[in-house]
C-alpha cells in the first residue's frame, strides 16, 4: 500500500539499475519484541537475567566479529566455529552462571561434550555425504558476491553453534543434580553418583 516501508534489492544494470521489493520493513516490530524480551529477562531473572543478557551480548559479538569475518575471509567454517564456540562456552557460562566449582565442572563437561559433538558432526556429515545444498539460499552463497564459501563447512558450523545452548543447559543441570545428590548422601560412591 502507499506509505508502507519496504526493503529494496538492487539489481545493477549497465543502462539503468532496477530495484525490487524484497520484503516489508519490520524493524519497528522487532525492536518492540527485543525491548520486551530484555525487560522480562531482567524483571524475572533479576541479577542472573542481567548476567545472562551480558553473556548473550558477548556471544553475539563473537559471532559477528570473529566467526562471520573469518568465514567470509575464506577460513574453514567448521574450524572457525569450533574455536568461536569454545570461546562462547568459556566466556558466557561463567558470566551467565557465576564463577564457582559447579560451573567449572559444567564448563569442562561442556567442552568435552562439545569435542565429542564436533567429532560426531564431522563423521556423520562425511558418512552421509551432506554438502549443504539443501536450500536455494545455498546456491546464492556459493555463486554470490562473497566468493566461494565452503557450504559443507557452513553446515557443520551451523550444527556446532546450534548445540551450544543445549550442551550448556544439560551439563549445568546434570552437574547441579549430582551436587545435590552428593549433599543428600555424601557416602555415595562416584559410580553411584
Amino acid at each position: 500500500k502507499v506509505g508502507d516501508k519496504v526493503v529494496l534489492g538492487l539489481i545493477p544494470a549497465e543502462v539503468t539499475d532496477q530495484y525490487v521489493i524484497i520484503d516489508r520493513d519490520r524493524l519497528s516490530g522487532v525492536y518492540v519484541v527485543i525491548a520486551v524480551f530484555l525487560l522480562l529477562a531482567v524483571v524475572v531473572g533479576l541479577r542472573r537475567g542481567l548476567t545472562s543478557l551480558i553473556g548473550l551480548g558477548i556471544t553475539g559479538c563473537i559471532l559477528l566479529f570473529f566467526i562471520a569475518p573469518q568465514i567470509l575471509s575464506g577460513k574453514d567454517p567448521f574450524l572457525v566455529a569450533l574455536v568461536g564456540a569454545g570461546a562462547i562456552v568459556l566466556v558466557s557460562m561463567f558470566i551467565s552462571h557465576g564463577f564457582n566449582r559447579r560451573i567449572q565442572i559444567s564448563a569442562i563437561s561442556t567442552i568435552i561434550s562439545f569435542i565429542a559433538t564436533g567429532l560426531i558432526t564431522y563423521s556423520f556429515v562425511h558418512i552421509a555425504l551432506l554438502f549443504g545444498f539443501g536450500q536455494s539460499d545455498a546456491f546464492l552463497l556459493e555463486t554470490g558476491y562473497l566468493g566461494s564459501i565452503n557450504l559443507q563447512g557452513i553446515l557443520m558450523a551451523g550444527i556446532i553453534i546450534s548445540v551450544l545452548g543445549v550442551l550448556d543447559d544439560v551439563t549445568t543441570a546434570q552437574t547441579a543434580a549430582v551436587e545435590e545428590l552428593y549433599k543428600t548422601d555424601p557416602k555415595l560412591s562416584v559410580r553411584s553418583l
Side-chain angles (χ1 to χ4, degrees), residues 72-135:
L72 291 174
S73 73
K75 302 282 189 320
D76 182 354
F78 181 62
L79 295 177
V80 169
L82 285 174
V83 171
I88 289 169
V89 166
L90 292 176
V91 172
S92 68
M93 278 189 81
F94 290 110
I95 289 174
S96 298
H97 301 291
F99 192 85
N100 56 50
R101 182 175 167 87
R102 180 176 7 134
I103 298 307
Q104 291 172 352
I105 293 168
S106 295
I108 292 167
S109 301
T110 302
I111 293 295
I112 292 168
S113 301
F114 182 65
I115 291 168
T117 301
L119 292 171
I120 292 168
T121 298
Y122 186 85
S123 298
F124 284 1
V125 165
H126 285 86
I127 290 169
L129 302 175
L130 300 175
F131 295 104
F133 285 111
Q135 295 182 344

Side-chain angles (χ1 to χ4, degrees), residues 11-30:
I11 302 173
E14 290 182 20
V15 179
T16 304
D17 291 341
Q18 294 183 358
Y19 294 89
V20 293
I21 296 175
I22 295 175
D23 202 354
R24 291 177 186 261
D25 180 11
R26 293 181 168 83
L27 280 181
S28 58
V30 171

Side-chain angles (χ1 to χ4, degrees), residues 53-69 84 88:
L53 289 175
I54 293 168
L56 181 63
I58 291 171
T59 297
C61 288
I62 292 171
L63 288 168
L64 288 174
F65 300 115
F66 173 72
I67 293 176
I88 289 169

